[in-house]
Amino acid sequence: MEDPAAPGAGSPPANGNGVGNGSGKGKPVAPKGREAFRSQRRESEGSVDCPTLEFEYGDADGHAAELSELYSYTENPEFTTNRRCFEEDFKTQAAIQFSTQKMHVQGKEWLELEEDAQKAYVMGLLDRLEVVSRERRLKVARAVLYLAQGTFGECDSEVDVLHWSRYNCFLLYQMGTFSTFLELLHMEIDNSQACSSALRKPAISIADSTELRVLLSVMYLMVENIRLERETDSCGWRTARETFRTELSFSMHNEEPFALLLFSMVTKFCSGLAPHFPIKKVLLLLWKVVMQLLTKQDSLDIYNERDLFKTEEPAAEEEEESAGDGERTLDGELDLLEQDPLVPPPPSQAPLSAERVTFPKGLPWAPKVRQKDIEHFLEMSRNKFIGFTLGQDTDTLVGLPRPIHESVKTLKQHKYISIADVQIKNEEELEKCPMSLGEEVVPETPCEILYQGMLYSLPQYMIALLKILLAAAPTSKAKTDSINILADVLPEEMPITVLQSMKLGIDVNRHKEIIVKSISALLLLLLKHFKLNHIYQFEYVSQHLVFANCIPLILKFFNQNILSYITAKNSISVLDYPCCTIQDLPELTTESLEAGDNNQFCWRNLFSCINLLRLLNKLTKWKHSRTMMLVVFKSAPILKRALKVKQAMLQLYVLKLLKIQTKYLGRQWRKSNMKTMSAIYQKVRHRMNDDWAYGNDIDARPWDFQAEECTLRANIEAFNSRRYDRPQDSEFSPVDNCLQSVLGQRLDLPEDFHYSYELWLEREVFSQPICWEELLQNH
């Protein structure tokens, strides 16, 4: 993919808040430049006035917001087209159909029909989708889309539209609409005529993707409405939801899972073979399908193993990157950098029993210790006191002074073994003893099935997603050779007035924001699920993201005014679904274009920023080579500017990224950023013997980064080969050594065998002398 430009260009010099000079010897600041230097320091420390953002992180935005983002403002006239197609079909076909079935529905509208009559009409719609004519088929598909959109022509309020949209989607699913539209989607993907027509056009518009947009919209509405769980749902709807989830998760009728079809659409779009694909709708549907396959993202944050050092609800194994940790340790009402540095834990965090480890004073958590930390501590102690080491032995303490014994005891009390450590150890055992341990039993979970399907094309999938993310990033400049992600937002006729241009500009910016939101959420969801399923699946995806320049791409994204990006108002509330279907559209004026919501921030943009920061944390944690990439690309000033946003969760993940690289930034940087250092100490969980604030840790020494990645890659390839590449004639296949069973096997011999058998014995066996000495020497 295109190599993103170094994001550190134009950043402050190293003797200020830069990264390059670690010696602490910067040039003196001239008197006339002192005020500018102080202003730069204040800006870097996050002292710019910004209100505290009342943001609640979750799997997705509100139901209405998620539905509205499916449509671009350019598509709004099509709502009327869908309604007209439905009403024409309902008046003509439904009258004939109901009269033959002796149903008395004369003069009734859709919402007035009995459920049986509604099902009968839907069945007729699906039958009419079998026609050969593309034009007639499109009209019927639009009628189905109108049902999925809530039959808004018969509704009086937005609440009614959302209610009937959900009702109709369940009804459509129960009648087999999703599988029918899946077949139509296969046909449109393989439509070579549409692809070649789009390739010949100098400019692609929204008209080139009409059929695909209708199909994808119906499927998205069904996935999103069925995914939504409410307490008032009937037993039938709950059963339908679980059945739908199973259909999306597993291969049905010997076909690949639906998510893989959408991934193939993404790669086909990025390869330039299908530039007319409505990529925003594809990405939104792919994200929601993966979410419907799998456990919800916020559930993963509290699902994994229990942490004995926490007294509240059990958080995920990856607590340093979970939402729960940030929300529990940070007060969302206050700016993180302005909180009291020593706040005692509230009474609710008191230990539940005397056996629990007590919290350190002022910090509402206990530090964790890895096995590697204990081994490293004992290695240093043995070298110092007895002059030799014992490898990975952490039990023998002979010859060490009593304080070392106490230190080892304390370290072991805080020892934390993650699921990833257990999986890595099990994998080492399986590699060493493949015969004695037998074949591994791998549960066929939805996550496992998805990984198996993605395995051989996963590098292409990751590169394609990052290409689209790069094209949608606000810091990217338009290039002639970059992919066109605006095919499903540009109208057939370009705007001719200033107001139309303003509307299109808002629509394009909104379109890009939604793409960034869907890709960031999708990548984070994949990483979290694959890490829970197996650590090497997570590492495989992570390494290909790193190889595709994901780290500099995310840094390039943050090398902008993040506060402006988060507070951007690229929306026109009167044009959002379902509002635009109920109210008459006002005359296009400057006031109506600027009349957006009154929120102090854009939910999707803040959601995207947090997702990208979490993604960056996952890619760099415990990876020294990738941490050095943060240093080389001068990420410190970029990340520090993001601290201006007063949102606790975002600030937490920024501080985590700063923490892992502080030892590489030099004494002068740490001296100039003591407020940030204090915030890191106060808000980020630490490890015992973690000298993150100093440069004397062994991890800060020169490191063979290439060897680190190569070793990881070898382990990943061994895992994939052992589990997924299983040839029948393997060297570990069992051999039958029983003479009786071997001689008793029936062999099919050629028909002329008995004619030449005696001659062959005489020539090849009886007439040939046997040299026993040579036979023994050869063996």
Side-chain angles (χ1 to χ4, degrees), residues 119-351:
K119 289 182 177 180
Y121 175 70
V122 171
M123 186 61 68
L125 279 176
L126 298 182
D127 290 339
R128 290 189 288 279
L129 282 173
E130 302 292 334
V131 297
V132 178
S133 171
R134 285 174 57 87
E135 183 180 354
R136 291 179 58 190
R137 192 165 63 233
L138 177 59
K139 289 183 177 181
V140 178
R142 284 191 179 279
V144 176
L145 177 56
Y146 175 72
L147 288 175
Q149 290 171 340
T151 52
F152 48 82
E154 304 175 29
C155 298
D156 298 325
S157 66
E158 298 178 26
V159 176
D160 289 341
V161 174
L162 296 177
H163 168 76
W164 287 109
S165 173
R166 194 158 179 263
Y167 171 85
N168 291 341
C169 283
F170 272 100
L171 181 68
L172 290 171
Y173 170 69
Q174 291 169 352
M175 301 307 297
T177 307
F178 192 87
S179 57
T180 301
F181 271 68
L182 181 58
E183 294 177 3
L184 295 175
L185 182 62
H186 276 285
M187 292 173 54
E188 285 300 323
I189 292 174
D190 298 332
N191 188 351
S192 58
Q193 182 178 357
C195 293
S196 59
S197 175
L199 289 172
R200 289 194 301 267
K201 288 188 175 182
I204 302 176
S205 69
I206 196 172
D208 297 295
S209 60
T210 301
E211 289 83 0
L212 280 170
R213 285 187 294 105
V214 171
L215 297 176
L216 292 170
S217 295
V218 171
M219 302 175 88
Y220 178 86
L221 288 171
M222 293 179 67
V223 170
E224 181 63 17
N225 278 303
I226 296 176
R227 183 184 70 86
L228 180 65
E229 299 181 15
R230 286 184 175 159
E231 296 180 356
T232 56
D233 291 346
S234 64
C235 294
W237 281 15
R238 297 177 191 272
T239 303
R241 181 183 299 113
E242 294 304 318
T243 305
F244 190 37
R245 187 171 294 165
T246 303
E247 290 181 5
L248 293 177
S249 303
F250 299 96
S251 303
M252 306 299 292
H253 310 295
N254 296 323
E255 295 182 355
E256 61 184 5
F258 183 47
L260 295 181
L261 176 64
L262 298 175
F263 269 118
S264 67
M265 291 185 69
V266 174
T267 54
K268 192 174 182 180
F269 171 81
C270 287
S271 66
L273 299 177
H276 66 296
F277 279 4
I279 195 61
K280 185 192 78 172
K281 285 181 167 55
V282 174
L283 291 170
L284 283 174
L285 181 56
L286 176 58
W287 168 37
K288 294 304 174 63
V289 166
V290 172
M291 190 186 298
Q292 176 91 340
L293 288 172
L294 305 175
T295 312
K296 294 192 297 183
Q297 176 177 313
D298 54 1
S299 301
L300 291 181
D301 291 331
I302 60 172
Y303 173 74
N304 218 327
E305 56 191 300
R306 294 177 180 270
D307 183 351
L308 296 179
F309 310 123
K310 292 180 182 176
T311 57
E312 295 190 343
E313 293 294 328
E317 168 267 327
E318 198 57 28
E319 105 299 330
E320 292 195 12
E321 297 176 10
S322 68
D325 192 17
E327 292 168 352
R328 180 170 54 257
T329 60
L330 303 181
D331 183 359
E333 302 295 328
L334 299 175
D335 179 17
L336 185 146
L337 295 176
E338 296 176 357
Q339 295 181 27
D340 190 8
L342 292 178
V343 181
S348 61
Q349 291 182 333

Side-chain angles (χ1 to χ4, degrees), residues 567-665:
T567 57
K569 301 289 188 188
N570 288 314
S571 62
I572 307 173
S573 57
V574 294
L575 300 182
D576 284 334
Y577 173 87
C579 177
C580 63
T581 62
I582 297 297
Q583 302 179 5
D584 294 332
L585 297 182
E587 184 181 356
L588 198 64
T589 62
T590 306
E591 291 74 16
S592 63
L593 291 179
E594 296 176 352
D597 53 44
N598 296 322
N599 295 330
Q600 58 183 168
F601 60 91
C602 176
W603 195 97
R604 63 172 167 265
N605 289 354
L606 184 50
F607 177 73
S608 301
C609 290
I610 293 177
N611 287 340
L612 291 173
L613 287 171
R614 298 184 73 179
L615 189 63
L616 202 55
N617 270 280
K618 286 185 176 296
L619 294 179
T620 56
K621 186 179 181 182
W622 302 122
K623 302 293 190 301
H624 302 288
S625 58
R626 301 173 191 176
T627 302
M628 288 305 298
M629 291 182 69
L630 296 178
V631 178
V632 169
F633 287 113
K634 294 182 171 63
S635 67
I638 297 174
L639 294 171
K640 277 175 57 62
R641 286 196 293 270
L643 290 175
K644 299 175 187 176
V645 180
K646 292 188 178 181
Q647 205 286 320
M649 196 172 185
L650 182 141
Q651 290 183 332
L652 173 67
Y653 292 114
V654 170
L655 293 176
K656 288 178 186 293
L657 291 168
L658 290 173
K659 174 181 178 288
I660 62 176
Q661 55 177 318
T662 50
K663 66 181 69 173
Y664 304 102
L665 298 181

